[in-house]
Amino acid sequence: MSMVWSTTKLKGLECIAPLVQSVEETPEPIATEVCGTIPTWIRGSLLRNGPGKFEFGNQYYNHWFDGMAMLHQFKIEDGKVTYRSRFLQSDAYKKNSERDRIMVSEFGTVAMPDPCKNFFLRFLSRFEMIEATDNASVSFVKYKGDCFVSTETNYMYRVDPESLETQNKVDWTKFIAVNMATAHPHTEPDGTSYNMGNSYGRKGALYNIIKVPPMKNNPEETLEGAKVLCSIVPADKARPSYYHSFAMSENYVVFIEQPIKMDLLKIVTAKLRGKGISEGVYWDPKQDTVFHLVEKHTGQTSSVKFHTKALSVFHQINAYEEDGFLMLDMCCSDNGEAINNYLIQNLRKSGEALDQVYNTMYRAFPRRFVLPLNVTNDTPTGVNLNTRPASSATSFKTAKDKVVCKFEDLHGEDLYEYGGLEFPQINYSKFNTRPYRYFYGCGFRHLVGDSLLKIDLEGKKVKVWYQKGLFPSEPVFVPSPDAVEEDDGVILSVVVTPTEDKSTFLLVLDAKTWEELGRAEVPVNIPYGFHGTFNPTA
C-alpha cells in the first residue's frame, strides 16, 4: 500500500487560485477580532514567510518558489493579537520594483535580457551565469540568537522580528567555502547551529556540513566563526542531489542523498537557453537513496552507507539514538517530480484540469528508518539487524560498508484518507534528537494543506482538524510554561480561504485535545505560505 499516488482519486477540487495571488503589505500593526479564547500565557509572535508577489508589470513568475518574500507577524499578548506584514527589501525586490519587470532570475523564472540594452549587450548577457537570488522566501531561522529569513542560495537577511524591517544582507560565501545553504538549520539547546550547503569548485560538487557557534562576540556579528565540519563527495559530481533539509540526532548529522538530481551543465547553461534553473532539476528513480552519517563532534563520516529505494524527502520529523540504533523519521514520497509540478499555472487551475494535476502527484507519508550504528566487518549479512521489538523496519548488511534498509510506516490506514502528511513539526525545544511520541503536520487533500493532523506514535493514531474550504499553514507547537507532558501546549496555524475576501485567521488549537481554543480574524488576504516560527517575547 506504500506505493501511493493519491490514495483515492479526487474529483471536484476547489480552485485555490486566490491563494497564489499578489497582495499588499500591511506594515503597521492592525487589530484582529478574537473569537473564543487565546490563552494569556502565550506571549510572542508567530513569524511566517512565503511568496507575496507573483509578477512585475506584465511579466509573471512561473514557479511557486519564485514569488517575492513577504514576512508576516501575528503578535500575541494578553489574549489579543495584532497583525502586520512587509515585503523583504531584498535586492531582487528593489531591482524588480524599480523597473517594474523581472530583473533577477528565480528558481523557475529566467530574467530576460533588458530590452533597453543594444543587441550586442543583450546577446552577451545570455552567456552570463544566472546570479543567485537573495529573495529569502522560505523560512525564518535563528543564528546566534538573531532572526534571519532564508532561502536556498548563499544569501540570507537579518530582520527585526518586532518591526519586520529588513536589516542586513548576509552572504555565506564571505564566511565559508559554500555556494548555498538550506533554509532548515538544526539548533542545539546551547544555540549551536548546524546546516548543509553545496560547494562547486575545481574538484566538482561537494556536500558540506556547516557548524555555526551559539554566541556573538559583538552586536554586528552574523556568521563569524562558522566552519565546514566535513565534506561528502556526491555519487556523481556532475549531478549532485537536491536537498531541502537534513536530519540531526544527538551525535550525528544525517545527510539524505536522494535521486532528485541537479544537472550542473543544464543549470550553468540555463540562461543561454532562456530556461529557469528548475529545468536542470530532475528525478532519477533508478538511483538508490543513500543516508550518510557524520559524527558531529569529530566531523568523521561513517564508512557505512545506508541504502534504500528511490525516495524523495523535503522535511525531516525527528531523529534520535537508542540502544545502538538511529531512528530516522521523515516525510517521504515514492516519486520526486513534485518540485516540478508546483508551477503557478498548476496552482491556479480549476475543474478537471486541477483534479488532474493533483491526481498525478504522489503524496508524502511519515516513515521511519532504523539504522544500526555498530556495523563492523564482523557483522553478519543476511540477518535483519533491526532487533527493536514492535518495529517492522528492516536493515540488512549486503556487503562491506553497505546496509540496505526498508522503512516502517508511522501512520495507520486512515492517513491515506487525509492525503498524507507534510510540513511536520514537533515539540522541538524539548524533544528534537530525543525519543518522542507526537508530531504534527498538514494533511494534503489538495495541492496545499487542507487539514491539521496530530499523530500519536503509540498506536499510530491520528487526530484531525478540518473545515471545508479552509487551508491551514504548517502547525507551530508552542509549549505551555508549566508543561509536564510532551503535548502540553498549543498549535498555531494561519488559515486562509480562496472563497471569501479578507477572511484570514490565526488558529489556536489545544495540542493535547486538538480542540479549537480560539481564532484571531484579520481582514487581509494572505497567500498560502511556507514556513514559520514562534518568537517568544523576551
Side-chain angles (χ1 to χ4, degrees), residues 132 152-155 171-182 195-201 206-212 223 226-231 243:
E152 299 186 327
T153 66
N154 53 307
Y155 296 119
D171 180 352
W172 281 97
T173 65
K174 299 281 189 283
F175 299 94
I176 47 173
V178 297
N179 294 83
M180 52 77 70
T182 81
N195 205 339
M196 284 198 62
N198 283 3
S199 55
Y200 305 106
L206 290 171
Y207 309 120
N208 304 286
I209 316 279
I210 304 162
K211 185 176 183 177
V212 181
L223 297 174
K227 64 179 189 184
V228 171
L229 191 64
C230 84
S231 301
Y243 52 95

Side-chain angles (χ1 to χ4, degrees), residues 3 82 141 161 265 276 349 380 518 534:
M3 193 71 174
T82 58
V141 297
L265 184 64
K349 283 180 175 170
F534 182 73

Side-chain angles (χ1 to χ4, degrees), residues 13 47 75 144 153 158 211 219 293 299 380 382 391 484 507 527 531:
L13 286 177
L47 303 172
K75 189 172 187 179
K144 300 182 183 180
T153 66
R158 182 153 55 179
K211 185 176 183 177
L293 269 58
S391 168
V484 177
L507 175 68
H531 296 290

Side-chain angles (χ1 to χ4, degrees), residues 20 285 309 463 491 498:
V20 279
K309 65 172 189 166
K463 283 185 173 162
I491 289 290

Side-chain angles (χ1 to χ4, degrees), residues 178-394:
V178 297
N179 294 83
M180 52 77 70
T182 81
H184 289 291
H186 275 290
T187 307
E188 301 273 25
D190 74 347
T192 302
S193 299
Y194 290 86
N195 205 339
M196 284 198 62
N198 283 3
S199 55
Y200 305 106
R202 285 195 308 275
K203 296 177 181 171
L206 290 171
Y207 309 120
N208 304 286
I209 316 279
I210 304 162
K211 185 176 183 177
V212 181
M215 308 289 280
K216 288 194 287 191
N217 293 316
N218 65 67
E220 299 308 305
E221 232 185 62
T222 56
L223 297 174
E224 281 81 355
K227 64 179 189 184
V228 171
L229 191 64
C230 84
S231 301
I232 296 167
V233 179
D236 179 348
K237 286 188 176 186
R239 296 178 182 83
S241 290
Y242 167 81
Y243 52 95
H244 185 76
S245 64
F246 61 97
M248 184 177 87
S249 67
E250 186 181 0
N251 295 297
Y252 295 93
V253 165
V254 185
F255 169 55
I256 297 143
E257 190 172 20
Q258 63 184 352
I260 300 179
K261 296 291 180 181
M262 298 188 294
D263 185 325
L264 296 184
L265 184 64
K266 268 194 177 170
I267 288 170
V268 167
T269 59
K271 192 170 180 185
L272 180 64
R273 294 178 296 112
K275 302 287 188 185
I277 292 166
S278 57
E279 296 274 325
V281 179
Y282 67 99
W283 167 245
D284 183 358
K286 297 186 294 297
Q287 306 282 332
D288 278 359
T289 302
V290 182
F291 305 133
H292 301 264
L293 269 58
V294 176
E295 225 286 338
K296 284 193 318 207
H297 308 293
T298 64
Q300 291 294 112
T301 306
S302 169
S303 60
V304 179
K305 303 298 176 195
F306 298 89
H307 289 244
T308 192
K309 65 172 189 166
L311 291 171
S312 93
V313 181
F314 275 85
H315 300 113
Q316 327 302 318
I317 305 168
N318 201 356
Y320 65 93
E321 300 154 47
E322 195 172 62
D323 303 330
F325 295 97
L326 193 154
M327 271 51 71
L328 179 60
D329 297 352
M330 53 198 185
C331 293
C332 322
S333 168
D334 293 312
N335 180 289
E337 286 168 5
I339 195 166
N340 293 322
N341 289 330
Y342 275 98
L343 300 172
I344 291 167
Q345 66 188 39
N346 284 347
L347 290 161
R348 288 181 177 165
K349 283 180 175 170
S350 59
E352 284 181 14
L354 174 62
D355 295 349
Q356 190 181 356
V357 171
Y358 179 85
N359 289 326
T360 52
M361 285 170 75
Y362 285 66
R363 317 262 65 83
F365 288 90
R367 296 167 174 175
R368 170 172 293 175
F369 290 89
V370 178
L371 312 183
L373 291 171
N374 307 314
V375 176
T376 65
N377 289 344
D378 300 328
T379 303
T381 56
V383 178
N384 180 12
L385 302 176
N386 178 16
T387 53
R388 286 174 69 83
S391 168
S392 59
T394 62

